[in-house]
Amino acid sequence: MTIPVLICDDSALARKQMARTLPKEWDVEISYAANGAEGLEAIRAGKGEIVFLDLNMPVMDGYEVLRMVQQQDLPAMIIVVSGDIQLQAHQRVKALGALDFIQKPVTADAIINILEEYGILSLALEPSTTTDNASMLEVDLRDACQEVANVAMGRAADLLAKLLDVFVLLPIPNVNVLEVSELTMALKATENSTQVSALCQGFIGAGIAGEALLIFHDSSFADMAALMGMSNPDNANTEIEVLIDTGNVLIGAFLNGIAEQLDMTFSQAHPIVLGRHCTVNDLIHDNSGRWKRTLAMEINYRIEGHNVQCDLLLLFTEDSLPTLNFKLGYLMH
């Protein structure tokens, strides 16, 4: 009997990867949803007896989908597939009725292990006569970049969560090719009037180079210093230490997450404090000579229950775009 399977993820690349890793001997009919609202509608229409659900999505996220399915007692076995690998994320989705959790990027072995563990694989083991569903999905480079950033973002958040014993709230990464004049506009989460401090750290790999920029909201220093067990949070040296320690965790883990997915390594320069207690406009203006046209990955990290907010930007040089396109091409086909 053919089983209706739903893949719910805002990334076309993630949907394609998920479809490709499903067992070939599985007789299933696959439907797709690009956000939680579409996913919920598909479940109600009977298209998601088994659901592979992302967490970070626009319109309605995965947590909201799980709550609605639980509240309305909808017939769906949901496996969460996410780049957010924090232990608390696992616990929260299980409490909301998720069957299990798989971290991105998905592998065929991880899928089969879970399907076998819950006896789902044996439900439809007749060879499918359908075409390769994944091959029909179109993926553009910006989408692929965003999904790579999504996975890397989750790795960095997990490390920060473990070090500070907190839960890090994750956004949908924002990826765009920008002129320097557009960088300020790209920082949607940062108001022009907000006082910030920032550091940057150069990185270089084979054919790819750029700078990571950490923009730390000044109002966050006191809470972050307390979480790190530091005294005198108002001291200038303490603020710089908080800035550099946060940068080391987020930038290092994020770059490692990207390097792992693109099968390459990055060397990192020493961090440099770019500005303190200034606005983003001032920061970009004072350093505009550092960047020209750039591919920017922007992530706004927040810590639940604490007044901590910072923006991480990865700014790739324009010369890096051909190599990035080449590397991402392998993920897309």
Side-chain angles (χ1 to χ4, degrees):
M1 185 180 72
T2 303
I3 292 181
V5 169
L6 174 67
I7 297 173
C8 183
D9 199 301
D10 62 316
S11 165
L13 175 62
R15 296 195 296 271
K16 190 167 190 171
Q17 288 176 326
M18 186 71 236
R20 284 232 164 116
T21 55
L22 295 180
K24 299 294 182 232
E25 67 274 21
W26 222 24
D27 185 18
V28 295
E29 182 178 348
I30 302 176
S31 299
Y32 300 98
N35 59 59
E38 288 181 9
L40 198 60
E41 188 178 325
I43 291 169
R44 288 178 179 139
K47 297 179 180 178
E49 189 174 320
I50 298 164
V51 181
F52 295 97
L53 179 71
D54 185 28
L55 290 180
N56 295 334
M57 294 182 291
V59 186
M60 178 186 284
D61 66 22
Y63 292 106
E64 293 174 278
V65 172
L66 285 165
R67 286 191 196 97
M68 294 296 287
V69 168
Q70 195 175 55
Q71 287 170 11
Q72 298 177 20
D73 196 25
L74 298 174
M77 292 183 281
I78 300 179
I79 297 167
V80 169
V81 184
S82 176
D84 185 355
I85 56 174
Q86 297 176 80
L87 179 59
Q88 281 198 48
H90 290 222
Q91 294 168 340
R92 291 180 185 198
V93 299
K94 285 287 193 74
L96 288 169
L99 205 60
D100 216 319
F101 186 105
I102 302 174
Q103 78 173 58
K104 290 181 173 181
V106 293
T107 65
D109 287 344
I111 296 291
I112 287 174
N113 287 342
I114 282 185
L115 295 179
E116 287 182 337
E117 181 179 347
Y118 293 99
I120 300 172
L121 187 60
S122 59
L123 294 177
L125 271 179
E126 295 177 12
S128 175
T129 57
T130 58
T131 57
D132 178 6
N133 286 275
S135 66
M136 295 185 288
L137 291 175
E138 291 296 326
V139 182
D140 63 38
L141 286 167
R142 185 182 170 279
D143 177 277
C145 262
Q146 186 164 305
E147 181 60 13
V148 166
N150 180 51
V151 172
M153 170 185 75
R155 304 283 172 86
D158 182 52
L159 181 56
L160 191 65
K162 286 174 179 172
L163 290 173
L164 302 180
D165 192 23
V166 295
F167 184 69
V168 181
L169 298 167
L170 296 179
I172 298 166
N174 189 28
V175 177
N176 284 296
V177 176
L178 303 167
E179 304 294 335
V180 174
S181 60
E182 299 175 295
L183 267 179
T184 307
M185 293 193 309
L187 291 165
K188 294 175 183 174
T190 307
E191 296 176 11
N192 290 338
S193 58
T194 302
Q195 292 286 296
V196 299
S197 298
L199 64 76
C200 83
Q201 191 167 10
F203 59 88
I204 189 166
I208 296 177
E211 289 188 326
L213 181 64
L214 182 75
I215 299 176
F216 199 90
H217 295 225
D218 286 351
S219 58
S220 305
F221 275 121
D223 271 24
M224 196 61 161
L227 286 169
M228 290 179 168
M230 297 179 184
S231 55
N232 303 321
D234 296 328
N235 181 277
N237 290 333
T238 302
E239 288 186 352
I240 290 176
E241 192 175 347
V242 166
L243 190 61
I244 289 175
D245 284 356
T246 307
N248 282 338
V249 172
L250 292 180
I251 294 170
F254 195 95
L255 283 173
N256 285 340
I258 288 179
E260 187 178 312
Q261 294 176 82
L262 300 184
D263 191 25
M264 62 185 303
T265 56
F266 288 119
S267 298
Q268 294 171 234
H270 289 293
I272 300 168
V273 176
L274 279 187
R276 299 192 57 230
H277 311 306
C278 59
T279 66
V280 170
N281 272 330
D282 292 336
L283 183 73
I284 300 299
H285 180 266
D286 293 346
N287 294 278
S288 59
R290 304 178 70 94
W291 310 296
K292 295 181 181 176
R293 187 169 180 266
T294 180
L295 172 74
M297 295 179 176
E298 180 207 348
I299 294 95
N300 175 249
Y301 286 98
R302 290 181 296 131
I303 294 180
E304 186 178 71
H306 299 274
N307 181 26
V308 175
Q309 186 172 185
C310 60
D311 290 278
L312 176 63
L313 268 83
L314 248 65
L315 305 173
F316 294 88
T317 63
E318 188 172 4
D319 292 344
S320 301
L321 296 182
T323 303
L324 268 173
N325 287 348
F326 178 74
K327 289 279 188 180
L328 291 166
Y330 278 106
L331 297 179
M332 292 162 55
H333 296 105

